[in-house]
Amino acid sequence: MDKSRPLWRASVRKPPTRTLTTSRPPFICQQCLHPGPRKPLQPLLRRHQSNHQPADDPTFKSIVDNPPTLVRSGRKHNRYGLALLASIPLISFALGCWQVQRLTWKTDLVARFEDRLVRDPLPLPPQIDPDMIHEFDYRRVYARGVFRHEGEMLIGPRLFDGEDGFLVVTPLDRRGEFRGFQGNSTVLVNRGWISKEKAAQGKRREGLPTGEVVVQGLLREPWKKNSFTPENDPGRNLWHFPDVYQMAEHVGSQPVWIEETMAADLLMSLDRKDKGVPIGRPAEVNLRNNHVQYIFTWFSLSAATAVMMWMVVKKPVTRGRVGGVRRNTGW
């Protein structure tokens, strides 16, 4: 034993040194170990520019930098515009008053026609003055004569209960009733409606009476042509509108129009339709009277525009007050 070393030191052993190891090897950059040519900086610059915000641009302009344009500031109302706005309620009110007069006129006219319907029918004289027919419009009359079916005229197309058809107009020759009369006594009779399938005379033999007949109907004024209705073609016997004077000249009769009437019976109408017998009109006044709606429309428009006018002029524009703005689109 070495006497220079104490006993207690000789008995103590140093623990062996242990090296700490990990399961994952340390990271070593391969580019650092193998340096190559430097990569360009453009992808990095693009990445930087992609994150650039519009507000970072010193030339960026927003809606705050472009205030809206003033439409009116401190100006008076345009007198021409006020005059135009003021004329609308006045004109509408005048049209409403005119419709009130029209309503009174139409009501009196319908009452006069209905009074004529309840009177006994008059025998039709041999010669009739066309200028006096308006005094006997809707007057019930009867005439005796023979139908000239060779001069029959079909006016159409005309709808009846949603079905297409024609109006049958036939001259009524009355020379047999007025034998001593030297003038023209033939009149035009609107016999009524037939379906399109029965337009040919060969399909409606029962609807072509022969011999002397008595026709009861309404004496009517000549019809007024609509501007949208096509012109008639007498050469082809094509009629779109009952032009009484043109039709009378075509068949050689008086310009007198009689509408044959019948009782409003559904079963009778169906039977006539199947046999090809014209369906006459009922003895009633069929004038349209919509003037109450027109009165309400014009007076409502007058009131509405008057309120608009009052809202415009009740508070005149003062200096410094902005009446309106316009969006600025030049940015």
Side-chain angles (χ1 to χ4, degrees), residues 86-135:
S87 64
I88 296 177
L90 296 178
I91 295 175
S92 302
F93 183 79
L95 290 174
C97 296
W98 176 63
Q99 288 297 328
V100 171
Q101 298 178 358
R102 292 280 296 175
L103 176 62
T104 304
W105 168 79
K106 183 62 71 66
T107 304
D108 295 340
L109 183 64
V110 172
R112 185 164 62 252
F113 289 163
E114 290 180 348
D115 178 68
R116 294 174 183 174
L117 289 177
V118 299
R119 299 183 181 182
D120 296 332
L122 293 175
L124 198 66
Q127 192 76 28
I128 302 172
D129 186 2
D131 297 332
M132 297 300 298
I133 293 180
H134 70 279
E135 298 292 340

Side-chain angles (χ1 to χ4, degrees), residues 218-230:
L218 303 178
L219 184 63
R220 294 300 314 278
E221 264 191 300
W223 293 42
K224 296 180 180 179
K225 183 179 180 299
N226 193 323
S227 58
F228 299 99
T229 305

Side-chain angles (χ1 to χ4, degrees), residues 52-224:
H52 181 69
Q53 301 296 327
D56 298 334
D57 189 358
T59 61
F60 175 74
K61 291 184 179 181
S62 66
I63 192 173
V64 180
D65 302 320
N66 292 270
T69 306
L70 301 181
V71 176
R72 184 181 62 202
S73 177
R75 294 193 302 175
K76 295 182 178 180
H77 296 290
N78 191 308
R79 57 181 180 179
Y80 298 105
L82 290 179
L84 178 61
L85 185 60
S87 64
I88 296 177
L90 296 178
I91 295 175
S92 302
F93 183 79
L95 290 174
C97 296
W98 176 63
Q99 288 297 328
V100 171
Q101 298 178 358
R102 292 280 296 175
L103 176 62
T104 304
W105 168 79
K106 183 62 71 66
T107 304
D108 295 340
L109 183 64
V110 172
R112 185 164 62 252
F113 289 163
E114 290 180 348
D115 178 68
R116 294 174 183 174
L117 289 177
V118 299
R119 299 183 181 182
D120 296 332
L122 293 175
L124 198 66
Q127 192 76 28
I128 302 172
D129 186 2
D131 297 332
M132 297 300 298
I133 293 180
H134 70 279
E135 298 292 340
F136 296 88
D137 197 12
Y138 277 95
R139 189 68 168 86
R140 294 173 60 194
V141 296
Y142 66 90
R144 189 185 304 272
V146 178
F147 279 125
R148 290 167 41 192
H149 297 292
E150 69 279 1
E152 180 183 86
M153 295 167 284
L154 301 180
I155 303 175
R158 288 293 188 274
L159 294 178
F160 181 79
D161 290 341
E163 187 176 354
D164 195 7
F166 300 93
L167 293 179
V168 181
V169 180
T170 309
L172 182 66
D173 191 351
R174 301 188 297 157
R175 288 178 296 180
E177 183 180 3
F178 306 100
R179 297 185 182 277
F181 183 72
Q182 301 297 328
N184 186 2
S185 60
T186 305
V187 296
L188 299 176
V189 178
N190 177 14
R191 301 183 57 201
W193 179 90
I194 59 171
S195 63
K196 189 176 182 179
E197 299 176 353
K198 303 291 185 179
Q201 291 187 358
K203 297 181 180 180
R204 47 185 174 91
R205 292 296 182 183
E206 297 185 24
L208 302 175
T210 58
E212 191 176 62
V213 296
V214 177
V215 177
Q216 293 191 14
L218 303 178
L219 184 63
R220 294 300 314 278
E221 264 191 300
W223 293 42
K224 296 180 180 179

